[in-house]
Amino acid sequence: MEPVKPAPEERAAEPLTEYVQRVTRWVRAFDRRRPLVWDLLFTGFWVTAALIDCVGGGWRHNAHNLDVPGRLLLTVSLGCSLVLLRRRTYPRAALLAVAPFVLVNAWTGAALQASLLQLFLLYHIVLRRPLRHLWWAAALMTAPTCVSVARYGEGASAWHQQIGSQVLSVGVVALLAVTVRTRRDYTEVREDRARRLETERDQQIRLAAAGERARIAREMHDIIGHHLSVITGLADGGRYAAAKSPERAARALDAIATTSRQALGELRRLLDVLRDEETDGVPAAELAPQPALTDLDQLLDGVRKAGLPVRTAVRGRPALPEGRQLTVYRVVQEALTNTLKHAGPEATAHLDVRYGARGAVTLTVTDTGHGGPVPASRDGRGLPGMRERTSLYGGTLEAGPRPRPERGWRVHLHLPEESPQ
């Protein structure tokens, strides 16, 4: 059933303020698109009004002298009105240009109403120029009034009346211009602040996205790099064992399959972090917890199966927050992965962990490989990733060859105590 539409006479009338605002917006938009057209229309209207006052004889009702020549009246009328064409671009020059015509108008006693058009020039001076220009503009506009009162005024009342009226007109126009200018400046400040906030928001979004990409890339490097290194070690060992011990080769293949499935599972869980909503009706996958110190034994078993003997020495109680546990786990993982890649087939590794109070931990991973310069990671995720994790907790990370005569590589991590809250 369709809703019943109210009759035209039953609809609420549009408020007058909304109508005025809509018309004002339209006029301003038209002025921004075609400023010259609006200036010509505005100037043409007031030129026509000045000529009607001059030719039609309306000026005689206020004139002090009725014997002013017609050509002079026409010249003064045009001189006071044509300058409105430049009221916005050159308001000061326009006011200086109209001043002689206004002075002639006062001196001759014609008292043409066209002289009041200089108030538009004053308005634009206050609106578009520094306020210090208001004083000389007001004095320049008041001078013809003083001349008129001095020549044609009678008594002190004429001074009070005409000078007071002129000063009041100048004050009202200046106050109106200041109000419009203040409102305009306030609007510009609000718009500029909105633009800056929008820019800052976009920058924060880009920085957050870049940080998230870096975090995901670091996690993928740690997961895939470690498991592929383990798989490579198992495959090499299985190839040598295939000829002598088929059972050991079969166990190596089983370990490769298990490690591959673990890598795929961890990779899927990592990528599922990017899915925070349902896609095509499929709910987002449940996220698994990040590795912790309790997973170190499983990590070491996998490395040992890949052919790298690892000895461990643990002192203290591992009472660390989750973030610090993940940092220690990833540093151990990256260090042993680099040993599998670069240390050679006869290398061994030693893991020394010392837990202190309030989350402090000291970790040292050494191997008996070839040693040498720091391996340059092509993707920039290895040692830089370990240092990034360490810096989050104000720790230090050292990685390099062991001092002679010892052989191999050494990774040393130290995380200080947590500061009390």
Side-chain angles (χ1 to χ4, degrees), residues 155-328:
S157 60
W159 285 91
H160 295 160
Q161 182 179 1
Q162 296 189 36
I163 298 298
S165 298
Q166 181 68 9
V167 172
L168 180 62
S169 300
V170 170
V172 170
V173 172
L175 181 60
L176 177 61
V178 169
T179 303
V180 174
R181 179 173 182 168
T182 303
R183 179 63 181 176
R184 183 194 62 185
D185 294 343
Y186 175 75
T187 303
E188 291 178 354
V189 169
R190 292 290 299 271
E191 292 177 351
D192 180 69
R193 182 172 180 270
R195 285 193 296 269
R196 287 190 287 105
L197 289 176
E198 185 176 359
T199 302
E200 292 176 2
R201 182 198 63 187
D202 294 340
Q203 291 176 348
Q204 292 295 331
I205 292 175
R206 287 194 294 269
L207 290 175
E212 187 66 13
R213 286 195 298 269
R215 185 186 69 82
I216 294 174
R218 186 168 58 241
E219 294 293 335
M220 291 182 65
H221 170 272
D222 292 341
I223 294 172
I224 297 177
H226 170 72
H227 285 89
L228 287 180
S229 298
V230 173
I231 290 172
T232 301
L234 291 171
D236 291 340
R239 183 180 60 184
Y240 289 111
K244 299 180 180 180
S245 178
E247 295 181 357
R248 293 183 60 186
R251 287 197 298 270
L253 292 176
D254 292 338
I256 289 174
T258 301
T259 304
S260 300
R261 283 191 290 269
Q262 290 176 354
L264 287 174
E266 292 187 21
L267 182 59
R268 289 194 185 99
R269 286 194 293 270
L270 179 62
L271 295 179
D272 285 339
V273 173
L274 303 178
R275 300 174 55 196
D276 55 358
E277 297 179 355
E278 294 187 1
T279 304
D280 297 332
V282 180
E286 295 182 0
L287 303 181
Q290 292 278 16
L293 294 179
T294 54
D295 300 309
L296 272 180
D297 292 338
Q298 183 179 359
L299 173 67
L300 297 176
D301 290 342
V303 173
R304 293 186 180 107
K305 290 180 182 179
L308 176 64
V310 181
R311 295 179 295 109
T312 60
V314 180
R315 283 168 284 180
R317 300 181 60 183
L320 302 179
E322 294 181 357
R324 293 188 173 225
Q325 291 189 39
L326 177 62
T327 298
V328 173

Side-chain angles (χ1 to χ4, degrees), residues 50 53-54 59 63 72-74 76-77 80 105 109-116:
D53 181 60
C54 172
W59 62 278
L72 182 60
L73 294 175
L74 181 62
V76 172
S77 298
C80 291
N105 180 57
L112 292 171
Q113 299 298 313
S115 62
L116 296 177

